[in-house]
Amino acid sequence: MASPEETGGGSGTWSCSNNIDLEEAQKIILRWDSSASEEAREKMIFAGDRHEVDRYLLAVDEIQRSMSSASISAAPTADGGGNGEDSKDQVQDEVNSAIQIAMARLEDEFRNILLSHTAPIEEDALTDNPAAAAAVESSNSAAESSTAAGESVEEDRLSGSGGSGPQVVEETNLNLSDPIPRTDSSVSNSSGSYRSTSSIKELDLIPEEAVSDLRCIAERMVSAGYLRECIQVYGSVRKSAVDSSFRRLGIEKLSIGDIQRLEWDSLESKIRRWIRAAKVCVRILFASEKKLCEQIFDGIETAAVDEACFVETVKGPAVQLFNFAEAVSISRRSPEKMFKILDLHDALVDLMPDIESVFDSKSADSIRVQAAEILSRLAEAARGILSEFENAVLREPSKIPVPGGTIHPLTRYVMNYISLISDYKQTLLELIMSKPSTGSRYSGDPTTPDMEFAELESKPPLALHLIWIIVILQFNLDGKSKLYKDASLAHLFLMNNVHYIVQKVKGSMELREMIGDYYLRKLTGKLRQSATNYQRATWVGVLYCLRDEGLHVSGSFSSGVSKSALRERFKSFNGMFEEVHRTQATWLIPDTQLREELRISISEKLIPAYRSFLGRFRSHIESGRHPENYIKYSVEDLESAVLDFFEGCPASQHSRKRSQ
């Protein structure tokens, strides 16, 4: 259509006369008075003939021009008299009535155009995916379609070049007392900072021709003093569209109280959904709504009408969106929430440049402030959870020893937890700024382990917290080891658990880097010490049976080996080894390599000692009665028996498995 800007003189190409007078303008306005005509109620001007649209807009312009004139010439009276003032007042009343009728009509037309062209955004477009956005770019020749407009199209339109799309009208003259700058509907403040944020993907929510009509109406309503009505109509329609998109994204209307009462499993899934939805809302939905506001309202009057309309449209939905993250940030702290809170934090950090760009106006200050405050509270929540996790590890109260001295569930949980913490290293290095509150060797507090930082001063606070967690875990495990009545099993328990800690540290490059070689060496030393303590507690007594002392006798007539002492020695060895074998076959070393290494270490001490003892004294037993009662094991029997150790089941079961 020919734009209304061309009605104010110049070389317009209108099929009707550009010089419409006030009387004709009033007739056109009254003909479309919805309150006076059934036809006017049933039909919409902008849905019909474009020539009629042009005539109506021209009539509105003439009425507005007449209102803004300093005086209105009074029509002469019938008798030629000059009751000019009364006539002037009558004409002024008629003009005022006409403009009110016109504005009511334009408000209806504005609403109808918005509703007619407000359709749900396609599912494919509601994805934070550059490839999907690229797929919906439109060319100049199809710029009026409702697909996403590519930047190249935008640039062509701004430069006024190429295609059949409307050109930029640099300036027009409507001869109004308060001229309204005219631009093409596609023009907006393209130099705004949010356009430079590469992650933002703006969609064309309404076809270009409809946008042009909306802008024509908005200009006239604002010029006539109907700004508030225009904003209200626009905001109500577009807010409904945003709400519809929210529902498609799965964003629920939940109060902060509702969110805080959710079970964690339910909340966790909602956090994942929120992170995806928030990116789409800020980068696509809100950004596209801002673009539409600029297309329709940018440059109208001196007031930031486009900003007011944008905030009117999205402030409620934006508050609804961010209330979810706010509720999570102030919810009860517990260790399992740490990583979803960090996910929320990282997502919000990633979105902050886009939030600041999309909501860059003064009227949107509250939205930016809310997002920044939520980010701060999420950071504080993460710090608080880490501190509470440390206390929970230190005070973990279980008093039932795990069967077989295997890895304690607490050890698995804690090490898996800090391995996950190391996955969030970059975030937590920024958030964790203070050292942990540790015990001191001078504190005399038996409920808290000692830890000095002299050798760890170069470590960042996060690394010190991770080391401190391992220290308090070991402290707790030391206490749990005392629950075992068998000292050998207590040492095996510590060996298993420290070995698991060492392996988890070595298995994560990030965790190993933060823990550092110095503390890893200390852990490895503790592992070796636990293994040594186990072997001493178990095998010193067994091997003591294989000593020579006390077996040799000397007398006045002969010297040699006391067979009775030797028989007692073999009986003692057999009894002790049988008990160790029976008991420790049911103990468990879950790590295959550690289990094999400990068996080898046992064999290296036991087998040579037994072979030597048997070689020296076998003949003394075999020359006597019932040697089988004393020599129960061959060397091969012992070698086989050692393979039963630490399998977590009775030796007889393991022996059957080996024989199959």
Side-chain angles (χ1 to χ4, degrees), residues 28 205 230 258 470 491 539 586:
I28 294 171
L205 300 176
C230 188
D258 292 336
I470 295 175
H491 294 309
W539 296 105
T586 64

Side-chain angles (χ1 to χ4, degrees), residues 249-252 266-279 324:
L249 289 167
I251 301 174
E252 304 172 70
S266 175
L267 182 57
E268 191 175 19
S269 65
K270 290 182 187 298
I271 289 173
R272 285 194 296 269
R273 189 184 308 139
W274 185 90
I275 289 172
R276 292 192 296 268
K279 292 177 181 178
F324 178 87

